[in-house]
Amino acid sequence: MEYLIAFVVGGLVCVVGQLLLDVGKLTPAHVMSTLVVAGVFLDFIGVYDKFIDFAGAGATVPITSFGHSLYHGAISEAEQHGFIGVATGIFEVTSAGISAAIAFGFFASLVFKPKG
């Protein structure tokens, strides 16, 4: 049942993104930014951790989880180091994901012919 819930919730996040593209006529960059900010906002009001407990990978895999990670990193480092901790915390927590995206993007560009 956990797999089904994760699949449905992750799919619903994708449906929201697709609706923003098709109905809202937003660009992919706007949709991505909107979903990241939505993850930050949901974590700010205290809902995203409960959402992760319910949906598991359905809540941790989509782009909204990146916003959740950014918020957690910024808040935890800000509590320890003050204002400068906000910037360092964001990069400390999310550096592995950002590095992986850059590396996989580079290797994909070697295999396939990128356009644009």
Side-chain angles (χ1 to χ4, degrees):
M1 191 65 175
E2 292 176 17
Y3 296 120
L4 179 65
I5 292 171
F7 178 77
V8 169
V9 170
L12 289 174
V13 172
C14 293
V15 166
V16 169
Q18 193 64 48
L19 287 173
L20 289 172
L21 284 169
D22 295 341
V23 178
K25 304 293 184 200
L26 297 176
T27 65
H30 286 111
V31 172
M32 182 179 64
S33 300
T34 301
L35 291 175
V36 169
V37 170
V40 171
F41 178 73
L42 290 173
D43 198 21
F44 174 73
I45 62 174
V47 175
Y48 208 83
D49 285 326
K50 295 174 188 165
F51 186 49
I52 290 173
D53 291 340
F54 171 72
T60 58
V61 172
I63 192 71
T64 51
S65 180
F66 186 69
H68 166 73
S69 297
L70 288 173
Y71 180 78
H72 268 283
I75 293 301
S76 65
E77 290 295 314
E79 290 172 353
Q80 294 177 3
H81 303 290
F83 185 71
I84 193 71
V86 172
T88 60
I90 287 172
F91 293 116
E92 184 177 324
V93 171
T94 59
S95 61
I98 293 170
S99 299
I102 292 169
F104 288 125
F106 173 73
F107 291 127
S109 73
L110 294 176
V111 174
F112 303 101
K113 293 184 179 181
K115 297 178 182 176

